[in-house]
Amino acid sequence: MLVFEIVIALLLGGAGLAALSRRMGTPYPALVALAGAVLALVPGSPELVLDPELALTLFVAPVLLDAAFDASPRDLRANWRPVAGLALGAVVLTVIAVALAVKWMVPGMSWAAAIALGAIVAPPDAAAATAVLKQLKPPHRLLVILEGESLFNDASALLIYRLALGAVAAGGVLGWSAVPTLLVVTVGSALLGVVLSWVSLRINFLVEDVSTAVITQFGSTFAVWILAERLHLSGILTTVIYAMTISRTASTMTPARIRIPSYAVWEVATFVLNVLAFVLVGFQLKTIVARFDRATWLEYTAIAGVVTGAAILARFAWVMGAGAFNRWWQRRTKSSVVTLSPSASVLVGWCGMRGIVTLAAALALPTGHDGVPAFPYRDLILFTSFSVVLGTLVVQGMTLRPLMSRLTLDDDNEVDHEVRLARVETLRAGLEATQDSPGTEMAALVRRRYELQLRRAKQLLDEHALTSSGSPSSPWGPPTADAETVRSAMAAGRRKLAELRANGTIGDAAFQQVEQELDWSELDLQQLLRAESPE
């Protein structure tokens, strides 16, 4: 009962801090992490011990799938150079910089343990940055780069992390012998993700109940992760490929009455998991800091400060250096490769807040029980990892808004334009589908409705008109006519929308917004039909 009361209190506190962060214009993980640090120091607060093997599966798998499902392959292909550079180059440089820094501060730590710490703090969490940036409307390309990086830097960092843990257990160091393992894990994870996505789609297609569908989705997510880990592959890479593959066809196989509530559940679930991860680390730290004396406090705090500085500077150095080199190379070769401007490089370099993956990886270190020895310097690594998360969220997260205003990076309205274009094309396809309907009065009303909506959508496209909320106003309204005719028109619109995404005319951000509008229109139709049908 005590644990249940604590969890409820944590969730209510997290919800309050999230509301406060929106008013302050800061990432909510920054305030939640501060709350977790306070809990670790409050006398009399309870001690909760989390199973290390549970940490990554519980906290990372659903959050990562939710992010990967929304990713746009078209946009990632267009920006693959900066995404790959950040996901590989920036991660490796951060691992090296942190390992060198901690070895300098703690000479007795093995290189494998130092590399493990570097891999834990290497991957930034884009959710904290984009939560702030989306309110400020930067160019869409910067959001694509940050979100794309967050999908793959987790995989590269945790591959190094796994190898480092294996090296510690074997008493050795990392070397070229790890390269074949990395290749096998990468290829095997990608193939497994594709195969499991096909299986999952076939299962979900048979489910017609909302609650069963949501449970199946969450169960499938954890099953994908657990199976990949059992096969000694990468749970993160498998989950990313699985989610991105399944998102290509899920929109045509999942009805609106299931999609809308399931999206709402996933949004709440990822928020809950983020809150619990940040706060639970505070409880884990409580048992550690209770063993600290003054000298240990000073030593660990100094190490954490040096590691935090190394992590921030390594990322910033990579982004600024890579950006400068690419701009020089573009001028020299006259190539058409799109590069980051100096202002954009500064912003991307500063968006290095660490988050849930760092916390979960630190918690997953062996604690030393059931005959398994504790990971060397586990207390120091966990304390340092949480300090890096807290430091980057506070220093970088709370300065992101003023930095953005000084850099004057304006929204390019790319997504808004694609939304307007998608609306016009889907409405046109729907109108064409009504031409073959019977010449009834109801069919005429449907055609008239689509004509008016199409006219409004064209006006929005031509004039780039925006509502006061900053997003294109929707031309759809509640359907008011013959069910079969409207179903035919909406089906044609959905096919056209999928075609626009498939041929690269629009990205996933525009696709999802217009799809949501179609979903609500479809639900309005179903409600109207139920109201008009005889008892």
Side-chain angles (χ1 to χ4, degrees), residues 19 29 50 127 164-165 232 266 308 413 416 430 436 446 468 479:
L50 187 68
L165 262 60
H232 303 289
W266 273 93
T308 302
N413 291 322
D416 289 345
D436 298 329
V446 171
S468 58

Side-chain angles (χ1 to χ4, degrees), residues 45 64 77 105 148 179 213 280 283 288 365 395-396 417 423 446 460 493 495 508 519:
S45 58
L64 188 67
R77 285 193 298 268
M105 296 289 290
V179 174
L280 282 176
F283 286 107
I288 296 175
L365 292 173
V395 174
Q396 295 179 300
H417 175 75
R423 285 173 177 161
V446 171
L460 290 172
R495 288 193 297 271
D508 280 57
D519 287 345

Side-chain angles (χ1 to χ4, degrees), residues 361-377:
L363 290 172
L365 292 173
T367 56
H369 59 84
D370 297 333
V372 179
F375 194 85
Y377 295 93

Side-chain angles (χ1 to χ4, degrees), residues 283-471:
F283 286 107
Q284 311 300 304
L285 289 176
K286 183 176 178 61
T287 60
I288 296 175
V289 300
R291 299 193 290 267
F292 287 3
D293 54 23
R294 179 177 175 83
T296 306
W297 262 111
L298 294 176
E299 178 188 3
Y300 279 23
T301 302
I303 294 171
V306 170
V307 170
T308 302
I312 293 175
L313 291 176
R315 175 184 174 84
F316 203 78
W318 175 270
V319 175
M320 297 302 295
F325 175 81
N326 289 334
R327 289 191 296 273
W328 170 81
W329 184 255
Q330 184 185 48
R331 291 192 300 268
R332 180 181 176 86
T333 61
K334 308 297 183 182
S335 66
S336 58
V337 176
V338 180
T339 60
L340 291 176
S341 67
S343 295
S345 297
V346 170
L347 182 65
V348 172
W350 197 244
C351 290
M353 291 81 81
R354 272 58 178 180
I356 192 170
V357 173
T358 294
L359 297 178
L363 290 172
L365 292 173
T367 56
H369 59 84
D370 297 333
V372 179
F375 194 85
Y377 295 93
R378 185 181 190 276
D379 288 358
L380 171 60
I381 292 176
L382 184 56
F383 179 84
T384 302
S385 300
F386 184 73
S387 299
V388 172
V389 172
L390 182 62
T392 54
L393 284 173
V394 171
V395 174
Q396 295 179 300
M398 293 189 172
T399 57
L400 195 56
R401 179 180 286 268
L403 175 65
M404 177 71 181
S405 62
R406 291 182 66 87
L407 293 175
T408 62
L409 293 167
D410 298 325
D411 185 9
D412 52 13
N413 291 322
E414 177 183 343
V415 174
D416 289 345
H417 175 75
E418 291 181 354
V419 167
R420 297 187 188 96
L421 177 62
R423 285 173 177 161
V424 169
E425 294 300 323
T426 53
L427 283 168
R428 181 178 288 124
L431 180 59
E432 291 174 355
T434 65
Q435 303 304 319
D436 298 329
S437 301
T440 64
E441 183 178 355
M442 287 296 185
L445 287 174
V446 171
R447 284 192 290 272
R448 179 58 178 165
R449 169 178 175 263
Y450 267 82
E451 289 171 354
L452 293 174
Q453 291 175 339
L454 179 58
R455 185 184 306 169
R456 173 60 176 161
K458 287 180 177 179
Q459 180 183 356
L460 290 172
L461 178 62
D462 294 338
E463 299 178 359
H464 288 219
L466 296 175
T467 64
S468 58
S469 62
S471 60

Side-chain angles (χ1 to χ4, degrees), residues 225-306:
W225 181 284
I226 293 171
L227 180 59
E229 293 296 316
R230 288 285 189 271
L231 296 174
H232 303 289
L233 300 174
S234 168
I236 281 189
L237 189 57
T238 303
T239 302
V240 169
I241 300 300
Y242 167 82
M244 294 184 69
T245 305
I246 208 171
S247 67
R248 296 297 92 193
T249 53
S251 60
T252 59
M253 300 179 68
T254 306
R257 60 184 178 79
I258 290 180
R259 181 165 43 245
I260 289 179
S262 66
Y263 281 4
V265 172
W266 273 93
E267 184 176 356
V268 174
T270 54
F271 171 76
V272 168
L273 290 173
N274 271 286
V275 169
L276 290 180
F278 282 102
V279 179
L280 282 176
V281 170
F283 286 107
Q284 311 300 304
L285 289 176
K286 183 176 178 61
T287 60
I288 296 175
V289 300
R291 299 193 290 267
F292 287 3
D293 54 23
R294 179 177 175 83
T296 306
W297 262 111
L298 294 176
E299 178 188 3
Y300 279 23
T301 302
I303 294 171
V306 170

Side-chain angles (χ1 to χ4, degrees), residues 91-298:
V91 165
V92 171
L93 181 60
T94 302
V95 171
I96 294 173
V98 169
L100 291 173
V102 76
K103 277 289 290 182
W104 173 60
M105 296 289 290
V106 189
M109 181 181 288
S110 67
W111 277 109
I115 290 173
L117 174 58
I120 288 172
V121 302
D125 181 7
T130 55
V132 176
L133 293 179
K134 285 180 179 178
Q135 300 175 12
L136 305 176
K137 292 190 174 297
H140 177 64
R141 180 170 180 252
L142 296 187
L143 294 177
V144 170
I145 291 173
L146 291 172
E147 292 172 344
E149 173 205 0
S150 71
L151 294 178
F152 299 103
N153 63 12
D154 296 341
S156 59
L158 287 189
L159 280 175
I160 299 174
Y161 168 82
R162 296 289 192 189
L163 293 173
L165 262 60
V168 169
V173 295
L174 296 175
W176 288 108
S177 59
V179 174
T181 302
L182 287 174
L183 293 176
V184 171
V185 168
T186 301
V187 175
S189 299
L191 291 176
L192 181 62
V194 172
V195 172
L196 292 180
S197 68
W198 183 86
V199 175
S200 180
L201 280 171
R202 297 305 179 275
I203 294 174
N204 290 329
F205 181 71
L206 302 175
V207 178
E208 298 181 354
D209 177 65
V210 174
S211 57
T212 304
V214 173
I215 293 174
T216 302
Q217 291 168 12
F218 276 95
S220 301
T221 300
F222 291 119
V224 167
W225 181 284
I226 293 171
L227 180 59
E229 293 296 316
R230 288 285 189 271
L231 296 174
H232 303 289
L233 300 174
S234 168
I236 281 189
L237 189 57
T238 303
T239 302
V240 169
I241 300 300
Y242 167 82
M244 294 184 69
T245 305
I246 208 171
S247 67
R248 296 297 92 193
T249 53
S251 60
T252 59
M253 300 179 68
T254 306
R257 60 184 178 79
I258 290 180
R259 181 165 43 245
I260 289 179
S262 66
Y263 281 4
V265 172
W266 273 93
E267 184 176 356
V268 174
T270 54
F271 171 76
V272 168
L273 290 173
N274 271 286
V275 169
L276 290 180
F278 282 102
V279 179
L280 282 176
V281 170
F283 286 107
Q284 311 300 304
L285 289 176
K286 183 176 178 61
T287 60
I288 296 175
V289 300
R291 299 193 290 267
F292 287 3
D293 54 23
R294 179 177 175 83
T296 306
W297 262 111
L298 294 176

